[in-house]
Every structure is written in C-alpha cells, then in structure tokens.
Amino acid sequence: MLQALVPMLRVPDVPAAVAWYRDALGLESCSDGSEGWAFLQRDGIELMLSAFNAHEGDCVPAFTGSLYLRCDDVDAWWQRLKDRARVCYPLEAFDYGMREFAIYDLNGFLLQFGTPISGSAP
C-alpha cells in the first residue's frame, strides 16, 4: 500500500527556498534548511527540499512537471501570490472544470493552484 507522494525538489540554496515557501505559502518547517535539507508542511501538503547532490550531477534546478495544489479559495491564493512571484498564467476558468492560475517559485519550479468550478468534477 502506498501512503503518500511527497515531492523533493533539489535547489541551490535550501534556506532561501525554505524562507520562500514559508513566506509565500505559509508552509512550516522545523528546520531553516541550513543542513542542506528541509521538510515543510501545511494543511496536509508536504514538500521536501534538498541541496544539490554531487552523485546526481545537479547544477541547476530542474523538473519538467508542475506541482498542482488544489485549494478551497483559489481567488484568495491569487491575491496573495500574484505580486510575490513570476506569473505563468493568471487566474482563469477552464473548460475542464477548474478555476486556476500558475506561478513560478524562486527557483523556477511551476506551481499551479486550482479550485473545481461549482458543479464540476476535477
């Protein structure tokens, strides 16, 4: 049985990433990331951050997907984040039944936020 999927993002500056996720999204961590690793959480959302690993050859942050955060009030999140991050696309209602927007975090990782449109299944 699988119990959870927790993304781990490798970043060049873990303390800076911890601060960004704390300040922008309100995630909490028991560490400031100075050890080169951090675990963050909020409302059942979990995220791990790791410094680059020499054995994996990291030199820049890389991830071809996105992190999709389903939320109960996408409009409030849009107001909170639209001026704190580079916007990929603004708040919009889509034909597939979601009202969503997307931003990039400080390392360029794509974060999408969405709420099902009333009467639509996600």
Side-chain angles (χ1 to χ4, degrees):
M1 174 173 81
L2 298 175
Q3 296 179 343
L5 174 65
V6 182
M8 180 180 293
L9 302 176
R10 291 188 303 270
V11 298
D13 185 339
V14 177
V18 167
W20 191 90
Y21 279 95
R22 181 194 62 230
D23 296 345
L25 301 186
L27 272 67
E28 296 178 2
S29 177
C30 60
S31 156
D32 65 1
S34 60
E35 306 86 19
W37 182 87
F39 175 80
L40 301 105
Q41 61 183 347
R42 175 196 169 149
D43 302 330
I45 301 297
E46 298 176 338
L47 177 67
M48 291 187 284
L49 301 169
S50 171
F52 289 161
N53 296 306
H55 63 275
E56 294 175 357
D58 296 322
C59 58
V60 296
F63 180 64
T64 59
S66 66
L67 301 178
Y68 196 98
L69 295 99
R70 201 167 330 167
C71 51
D72 59 359
D73 188 352
V74 73
D75 293 89
W77 281 104
W78 171 247
Q79 289 303 315
R80 178 178 179 155
L81 297 171
K82 66 184 176 102
D83 297 324
R84 289 184 169 188
R86 184 168 55 104
V87 173
C88 176
Y89 61 87
L91 187 60
E92 183 177 345
F94 290 91
D95 292 340
Y96 48 84
M98 294 297 287
R99 182 167 168 76
E100 63 186 45
F101 69 92
I103 61 168
Y104 297 98
D105 79 354
L106 76 162
N107 289 295
F109 294 114
L110 182 61
L111 307 177
Q112 294 175 267
F113 294 79
T115 299
I117 296 170
S118 183
S120 299

